[in-house]
């Protein structure tokens, strides 16, 4: 019995440290979440700072606190911070080679925050992948497609890719092309399109709507249309004008050519 108590007594400090470590981990994890949330709210409350920076700083604070918690837990088991730094310093090359992709994403995340090619809520195309920016953190950019599919893009790939930001400017130009028959009155067709554009309050008067004959195709005379609108109205105007022009052409007797096939049969 005495031997059992002696053996158990030898493990008591280890058990106590394990309990302390568990408590530190739990409290540290909760504190990291609370503090990062407060940082996000405080930074995002500043009008001159966009939410992208707030989310990034919140993630940075969270991981910083968790690093301190990790070092504290190691200290409970007798591993001093100086020893840990020495070990990490000796293993820097191995860690760098193993995590070079992650470190690249981290560095790219800082570059994206500094230069801000896109912000939260903007619709972008990153290397051929399109979606609305939902989050930008230390390592990845999260996009959501129009059909509500989540796409995760590593920051390293985002920074190294061609970025097309459809929401950067407040206005956009809607480009449309309508084909009419060679027997139709081009001036009438252009007047119909111009009238529809002027009647739509979403279409800007400056720059004014632009309608010109731009191509003589194999079976149609092509009319190109350029309309300036607010970025938020782009798709609605594009679809509404296409429908309105088709209906107006039908009413005014302007034809829209479509491909015809001719079947030739050889007499037997």
């Amino acid at each position: 019995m005495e031997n059992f108590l002696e053996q158990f007594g030898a493990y008591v400090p280890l058990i106590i440290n394990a309990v302390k470590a568990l408590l530190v981990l739990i409290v540290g994890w909760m504190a990291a979440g609370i503090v990062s949330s407060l940082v996000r709210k405080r930074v995002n409350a500043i009008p001159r700072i966009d939410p992208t920076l707030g989310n990034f700083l919140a993630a940075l604070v969270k991981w910083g606190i968790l690093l301190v918690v990790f070092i504290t837990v190691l200290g409970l088991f007798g591993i001093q911070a100086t020893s840990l730094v020495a070990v990490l310093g000796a293993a820097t090359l191995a860690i760098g080679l193993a995590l070079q992709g992650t470190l690249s994403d981290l560095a790219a995340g800082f570059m994206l925050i500094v230069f801000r090619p896109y912000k939260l809520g903007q619709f972008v195309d990153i290397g051929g992948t399109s979606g609305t920016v939902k989050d930008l953190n230390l390592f990845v950019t999260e996009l959501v497609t129009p059909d509500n599919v989540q796409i995760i893009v590593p920051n390293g790939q985002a920074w190294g890719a061609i970025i097309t930001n459809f929401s950067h400017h407040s206005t956009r130009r809607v480009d449309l092309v309508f084909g009419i028959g060679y027997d139709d009155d081009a001036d009438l067709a252009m007047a119909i399109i111009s009238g529809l554009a002027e009647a739509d309050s979403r279409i800007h008067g400056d720059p004014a709507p632009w309608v010109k004959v731009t191509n003589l195709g194999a079976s149609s005379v092509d009319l190109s249309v350029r309309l300036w609108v607010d970025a938020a109205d782009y798709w609605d105007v594009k679809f509404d004008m296409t429908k309105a022009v088709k209906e107006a052409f039908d009413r005014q007797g302007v034809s829209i050519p479509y491909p015809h096939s001719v079947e030739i049969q050889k007499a037997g």
Side-chain angles (χ1 to χ4, degrees):
M1 185 66 177
E2 292 180 358
N3 291 336
F4 173 76
L5 292 176
E6 290 178 359
Q7 293 178 355
F8 179 77
Y11 288 105
V12 168
L14 182 61
I15 294 174
I16 293 176
N17 286 336
V19 173
K20 289 181 179 179
L22 181 60
L23 291 175
V24 170
L25 285 174
I26 294 175
V27 174
W29 186 269
M30 294 175 61
I34 294 173
V35 173
S36 64
S37 179
L38 288 175
V39 169
R40 181 184 295 106
K41 291 180 180 178
R42 291 293 179 87
V43 174
N44 290 344
I46 302 175
R48 293 173 296 178
I49 299 180
D50 64 85
T52 308
L53 182 59
N55 286 8
F56 189 85
L57 291 177
L60 192 63
V61 169
K62 180 178 180 179
W63 286 104
I65 293 176
L66 291 178
L67 178 61
V68 173
V69 171
F70 177 69
I71 295 175
T72 302
V73 169
L74 292 179
L76 292 175
F77 291 99
I79 302 176
Q80 300 300 321
T82 53
S83 301
L84 179 61
V85 171
V87 172
L88 291 177
T92 299
L93 180 59
I95 294 174
L97 292 175
L99 300 177
Q100 58 182 342
T102 302
L103 295 177
S104 175
D105 291 336
L106 178 61
F110 278 103
M111 298 300 289
L112 291 171
I113 286 297
V114 171
F115 291 98
R116 294 191 297 179
Y118 50 78
K119 305 176 184 178
L120 297 185
Q122 293 185 329
F123 189 82
V124 300
D125 182 288
I126 302 176
T129 300
S130 300
T132 301
V133 181
K134 185 177 181 181
D135 190 22
L136 169 59
N137 57 42
L138 292 175
F139 304 104
V140 300
T141 295
E142 180 182 349
L143 303 179
V144 178
T145 63
D147 55 343
N148 205 32
V149 175
Q150 180 190 53
I151 298 178
I152 303 298
V153 181
N155 285 338
Q157 294 184 21
W159 180 247
I162 295 177
I163 300 173
T164 304
N165 191 334
F166 296 97
S167 304
H168 180 75
H169 298 291
S170 60
T171 59
R172 288 186 64 186
R173 193 181 76 188
V174 178
D175 291 344
L176 299 169
V177 177
F178 299 100
I180 63 173
Y182 273 90
D183 294 332
D184 292 305
D185 187 340
D187 289 330
L188 173 61
M190 293 166 60
I192 292 173
I193 297 173
S194 297
L196 292 172
E198 293 173 359
D200 194 325
S201 60
R202 298 170 298 180
I203 298 175
H204 297 178
D206 185 18
W210 185 91
V211 185
K212 298 290 184 181
V213 175
T214 55
N215 183 55
L216 301 178
S219 60
S220 67
V221 176
D222 295 332
L223 308 179
S224 293
V225 183
R226 298 173 182 174
L227 310 170
W228 284 94
V229 300
D230 292 341
D233 295 328
Y234 177 86
W235 290 109
D236 287 339
V237 170
K238 185 180 182 70
F239 298 144
D240 291 346
M241 276 296 293
T242 300
K243 180 175 181 291
V245 170
K246 166 63 170 63
E247 294 173 345
F249 278 3
D250 290 344
R251 290 194 300 268
Q252 298 293 330
V254 178
S255 63
I256 299 178
Y258 52 89
H260 291 77
S261 59
V262 178
E263 182 179 351
I264 300 176
Q265 294 182 350
K266 185 176 180 181

